[in-house]
């Protein structure tokens, strides 16, 4: 990814704290949209000044189409989209609110659609692109109390495969990854540390993402790759 323009969404989140350093280590120029300025400081705390100098932080709400359009128009171009933004909530279907159902789709599927749509327009103009989206194990293996999250992440798989089909015959690829439980501070806080050694590390997921975003993966299209660790 040396010299490549990378749009890395969610780059300051729990997974992002593992993925952002890995993408920078490949020599990329990285644009990270953000909503919460204090998360930027957390990310900067684990990076060198030289790495920080290769990041452009731009405020954006990826649930808003005009905001996504504006974000991408501020980039020179988009060679690589790595879309980490997403979120999780759970509950039995008969007790789950319609508001929360819609939130899961906004956060997980609609942000993926909008960032893919505007990145893809840009990639088609200059004839190169790598799109990596983040689904979840639940997207391929739906589980109880996770109907909304599972359905939204299944949508991410479907969207990514459809883009891969649309871009056949070009130098643009689209693939998705399916993490199980990720070893993030938020998960340690929510579930305790008892099983944390079995969870997949952000740094490990980052290596899979970097491969899919690289020249070497030019013939990998429409894959949904399980990254489960030992869970
Ligand atoms: N954690 C897990 O165990 C796990 C398992 C399987 C899959 N995944 C998937 O992996 C991805 C990353 O998860 P994570 O644990 O790193 O989540 P996270 O810590 O909550 O990070 C999510 C990031 O997305 C940003 N974001 C959320 N809504 C946004 C919006 N509308 N516009 C712009 N930025 C927005 C957040 O910024 P703010 O802080 O400003 O909101 C945050 O930086 C998600 O897609 C998740 O579904 C996670």
């Amino acid at each position: 990814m040396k010299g490549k323009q990378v749009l890395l969404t969610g780059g300051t989140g729990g997974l992002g704290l593992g993925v952002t350093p890995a993408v920078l280590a490949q020599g990329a120029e990285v644009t990270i949209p953000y909503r919460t300025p204090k998360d930027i400081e957390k990310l900067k705390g684990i990076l060198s000044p030289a790495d920080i100098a290769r990041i452009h932080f731009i405020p954006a709400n990826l649930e808003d189409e005009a905001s996504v359009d504006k974000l991408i128009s501020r980039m020179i171009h988009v060679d690589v989209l790595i879309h980490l933004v997403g979120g999780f909530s759970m509950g039995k279907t008969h007790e789950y609110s319609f508001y929360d159902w819609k939130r899961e789709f906004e956060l997980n599927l609609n942000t993926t659609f909008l960032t893919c749509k505007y990145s893809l327009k840009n990639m088609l103009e200059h004839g190169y692109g790598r799109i990596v989206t983040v689904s979840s194990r639940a997207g391929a293996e739906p589980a109880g109390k996770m109907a909304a999250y599972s359905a939204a992440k299944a949508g991410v798989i479907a969207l990514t495969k459809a883009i891969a089909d649309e871009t056949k015959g070009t130098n643009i690829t689209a693939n998705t990854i399916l993490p199980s439980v990720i070893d993030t501070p938020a998960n340690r806080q929510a579930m305790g540390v008892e099983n944390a050694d079995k969870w997949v590390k952000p740094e490990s997921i980052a290596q899979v993402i970097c491969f899919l975003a690289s020249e070497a993966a030019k013939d990998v299209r429409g894959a949904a790759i399980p990254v489960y660790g030992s869970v």
Side-chain angles (χ1 to χ4, degrees), residues 11 38 52 73 99 128 136:
K38 75 170 170 28
I52 294 168
S73 67
Y99 174 84
Y128 182 90
S136 168

Side-chain angles (χ1 to χ4, degrees), residues 41-186:
E41 298 313 315
K42 209 187 311 163
L43 175 66
K44 283 182 175 173
I46 61 165
L47 297 174
S48 69
D51 279 348
I52 294 168
R54 278 187 288 123
I55 307 179
H56 312 277
F57 291 102
I58 299 180
N61 175 8
L62 303 185
E63 292 163 39
D64 179 73
E65 182 161 14
S67 183
V68 176
D69 187 7
K70 193 167 159 206
L71 164 72
I72 288 174
S73 67
R74 287 180 65 181
M75 293 181 66
I76 298 167
H77 57 256
V78 186
D79 294 309
V80 176
L81 166 65
I82 299 171
H83 181 66
L84 306 182
V85 163
F88 174 76
S89 78
M90 65 192 297
K92 287 185 179 170
T93 303
H94 69 282
E95 293 164 349
Y96 201 74
S97 75
F98 188 40
Y99 174 84
D100 287 342
W101 172 271
K102 286 188 281 193
R103 277 299 303 142
E104 284 300 290
F105 276 74
E106 279 285 344
L107 193 52
N108 289 291
L109 185 55
N110 294 1
T111 64
T112 309
F113 167 68
L114 289 173
T115 51
C116 285
K117 173 181 170 176
Y118 285 92
S119 298
L120 193 51
K121 272 189 183 187
N122 188 294
M123 289 167 176
L124 287 164
E125 274 165 24
H126 71 281
Y128 182 90
R130 297 283 178 272
I131 293 174
V132 185
T133 63
V134 179
S135 176
S136 168
R137 182 176 195 158
E141 302 171 28
K145 299 186 195 165
M146 291 194 207
Y149 182 72
S150 300
K153 288 299 196 183
V156 171
I157 299 173
L159 169 64
T160 309
K161 284 179 181 277
I163 293 170
D165 191 50
E166 288 171 16
T167 50
K168 274 181 189 161
T170 72
N171 196 2
I172 299 169
T173 67
N175 295 285
T176 193
I177 59 161
L178 316 176
S180 54
V181 184
I182 305 174
D183 188 2
T184 62

Side-chain angles (χ1 to χ4, degrees), residues 191-205:
M191 292 185 274
V193 295
E194 201 183 330
N195 294 312
D197 58 330
K198 296 193 181 70
W199 301 341
V200 63
K201 304 278 177 270
E203 298 74 16
S204 175
I205 295 175

